[in-house]
Amino acid sequence: MKKYDYILFDLDGTLIESAEGVRVSIAHAMEALGLPCPDLSDYTKYVGPPLEDTMRGMCAVPEELIPKSMDIYRDYYDEVGQKSNRVFDGVFDMLSALRKQGKRLALCTSKNEPVAEGVADVLGLSPYLDAVCGSTVDGSRRAKADIIPYALEALGCTDKANAVMIGDTHFDAHGAELAKVDFIGVSYGYGTRESMEACGAIGFADSPRELLELLTSST
């Protein structure tokens, strides 16, 4: 596997187990708006895409209520939802080892950036990261294809061939494909290997330990 000096990590399903917090926050937003809640049993449908897309598509929130639904979701997620988050086993060891090798690391998530910063702080991820990069409230930066170039700039990366995106869903893989950055998928998250392969994933890891081995292997 090729070695990279700049490594971008998705958050949900890649560094942390967070689906339950996302689920309860969506359910709360729908209840608060008095709207029917869709079936949220399949995490793969709503963990990964931009929140706005989930509210507009899967949840069928009327256009005029989408901003309000997102505000309700974020407030509840900050207060309640994120309490169920946990870092996957082996993630801290992986990040620490990469930092010791001089790698530049960034969080690259579709979560609103201040929310992502809060999650990283609460879970103890921030000391291992050189940048936390997320979406903007005004929608000017929302999908992975927008956030990846922003994260590379934040890390000071001027050569995309020296960077890789790590994620667990086809949203991550497709964003990397559009941004013309290599993508490595993790199988322990919320997406499927097949969907990531279809978007050009060049490798897969079944655990953070395996991911570290892929990123540091000399072959």
Side-chain angles (χ1 to χ4, degrees), residues 3 6 12 21 26 66 88 93 95 117 127 131 152 159 161 167 172 181 206 210-211 214:
K3 286 190 176 181
Y6 301 89
D12 299 330
I26 291 176
I66 287 177
F88 284 115
D93 289 342
L95 296 177
E117 291 172 341
L152 294 179
D159 182 4
D172 304 315
V181 170
D206 295 331
E210 283 192 19
L211 181 57
L214 276 180

Side-chain angles (χ1 to χ4, degrees), residues 5 33 57 66 87 94 113 159 170 180 183 204:
D5 291 325
L33 291 172
I66 287 177
V87 178
M94 173 190 66
E113 191 166 290
D159 182 4
H170 72 277
K180 302 187 186 308
F183 176 80
F204 290 91

